[in-house]
Amino acid sequence: MTEILQDDASSLISPQDFATVATLLKQMAGIHLNPNKRAMVSGRLNKRLKALGHGTIKSYCAALETDANPHERDAFVSALTTNMTRFNREAHHFAHLTQNILPELVKSARAGGRVRVWSTGCSTGEEAYDLAIRVLEACPDAAKLDFRILATDIDKTALATAEAGLYPVSSLSQFPGERVDQFFDQKNTPNGMAQVRQTAKDLIAFRWLNLNSNWPFHGKFDVIMCRNVAIYFDTETQGRLWSRLTDRLQPEGVLYVGHSEALPEEVMARVRIDGAGTFRLSSGSSETHRNNGDPR
Ligand SMILES: C[S@@+](CC[C@H](N)C(=O)[O-])C[C@H]1O[C@@H](n2cnc3c(N)ncnc32)[C@H](O)[C@@H]1O
């Protein structure tokens, strides 16, 4: 027992090293590391140190800063992001989408319009597939129309899982059986795993994106989900992100945010509340028009 305690204590990184790590993570991802995360950070980075043969956090951070191994920057960000997600998380958002938003969007797509949905911080993909499933339930031929979902994240490891679309069957317990059968294949998969069917995959483009950097696309979105991502940023970074996301909404476009997230006053002045964590861009708040860009 004493040995375990000593081992744990000696593997805790120093406050100075923690500050260096926090600065690097802020620069690379805009993520704010709270000092109460020191044990978590120590555990995750000690694994990287072992894998790479670095003796100290100092030498590891120095190597990250010299950019000697750009892949390690991805691994560093991946090690320190929190990817917790699940299917049908905050289910009221999907009910709102189905009842209040999709009927109009489907009508618009069927009339030849362009419809764009964005899952920002999609993690391992559950949120994006949740969106695709609701779109396909409302519009089974959506892939043949100009109806697309962009799903982005900064964590390349999480994105690889998202693109694979292979999940434990147990993670689908939130869904009724018909939905599972319709959108997941369980026959040609490893035991206990379910594969998202191609119909849902066809609607989604998974892309790497740092939300706190420039966005390499100019289009506007009818629906943006940014849930449980901004909580990892400081107040100023959050405010900038909410404002940029609101700028990217079509008039009457909808922004879904996580239950513990709130929009700052200046953004609230441009939207109206349409449900829990659900905001619509007020028509007068945007000068721009539909169909003015393509996120793919
Ligand atoms: C807790 S998950 C939320 C997943 C999903 N939106 C949900 O609500 O279930 C947060 C995700 O945000 C991503 N993330 C954190 N900082 C980011 C950034 N600067 N740009 C893009 N994604 C980021 C993380 O990699 C992680 O996958």
Side-chain angles (χ1 to χ4, degrees):
M1 185 63 177
T2 320
E3 213 172 274
I4 293 170
L5 286 175
Q6 278 173 350
D7 207 36
D8 279 356
S10 65
S11 66
L12 197 63
I13 67 175
S14 70
Q16 291 83 350
D17 285 344
F18 179 84
T20 308
V21 168
T23 303
L24 281 175
L25 190 65
K26 178 84 197 293
Q27 279 166 7
M28 288 183 207
I31 295 173
H32 169 74
L33 271 184
N34 198 305
N36 69 12
K37 293 273 162 50
R38 194 149 67 99
M40 178 278 275
V41 168
S42 305
R44 293 187 187 178
L45 288 189
N46 281 330
K47 281 190 199 138
R48 296 304 313 147
L49 259 64
K50 260 188 209 144
L52 297 165
H54 276 283
T56 63
I57 288 273
K58 259 187 201 59
S59 76
Y60 175 72
C61 288
L64 283 178
E65 282 178 296
T66 61
D67 216 8
N69 177 358
H71 296 302
E72 189 50 32
R73 291 175 150 247
D74 293 337
F76 171 77
V77 170
S78 182
L80 297 180
T81 48
T82 300
N83 302 120
M84 213 283 283
T85 187
R86 60 179 176 277
F87 284 110
N88 219 17
R89 186 178 195 183
E90 300 196 43
H92 56 277
H93 287 155
F94 299 107
H96 180 274
L97 180 77
T98 299
Q99 284 154 26
N100 304 316
I101 307 296
L102 285 177
E104 273 302 308
L105 294 183
V106 171
K107 216 186 278 172
S108 162
R110 288 204 189 289
R114 171 178 288 172
V115 179
R116 292 292 181 267
V117 176
W118 184 8
S119 163
T120 70
C122 67
S123 187
T124 42
E126 288 85 339
E127 181 179 278
Y129 290 120
D130 258 321
L131 288 165
I133 287 170
R134 294 343 184 270
V135 169
L136 287 166
E137 285 174 342
C139 183
D141 54 339
K144 293 195 190 119
L145 309 173
D146 198 0
F147 207 133
R148 296 287 179 268
I149 298 167
L150 173 68
T152 57
D153 202 282
I154 198 171
D155 181 348
K156 290 186 178 166
T157 309
L159 273 179
T161 302
E163 277 187 285
L166 190 65
Y167 299 99
V169 172
S170 57
S171 71
L172 308 178
S173 59
Q174 289 285 321
F175 290 144
E178 320 79 87
R179 188 174 277 161
V180 173
D181 292 343
Q182 191 180 350
F183 295 106
F184 297 87
D185 176 17
Q186 294 181 53
K187 291 208 181 87
N188 309 301
T189 54
N191 203 15
M193 301 297 280
Q195 172 75 59
V196 177
R197 292 193 195 276
Q198 199 57 40
T199 43
K201 286 185 146 192
D202 283 347
L203 280 187
I204 307 172
F206 287 104
R207 296 282 183 271
W208 181 89
L209 181 75
N210 178 357
L211 285 169
N212 295 315
S213 67
N214 290 332
W215 299 342
F217 47 79
H218 302 286
K220 297 218 170 195
F221 294 85
D222 301 279
V223 177
I224 297 178
M225 275 200 162
C226 188
R227 310 185 310 165
N228 312 301
V229 181
I231 37 168
Y232 300 104
F233 307 152
D234 61 27
T235 313
E236 193 191 333
T237 311
Q238 287 182 13
R240 208 168 30 241
L241 177 63
W242 294 129
S243 173
R244 291 174 78 200
L245 290 174
T246 308
D247 288 345
R248 291 305 185 103
L249 282 174
Q250 293 282 10
E252 289 300 307
V254 62
L255 172 65
Y256 295 107
V257 316
H259 70 278
S260 56
E261 292 160 324
L263 304 184
E265 243 172 64
E266 60 277 16
V267 174
M268 284 304 291
R270 302 171 58 195
V271 298
R272 60 177 196 280
I273 299 171
D274 209 31
T278 304
F279 303 92
R280 302 287 292 265
L281 185 69
S282 303
S283 299
S285 173
S286 169
E287 303 294 338
T288 45
H289 305 287
R290 290 186 63 82
N291 303 346
N292 61 349
D294 190 346
R296 296 196 84 168

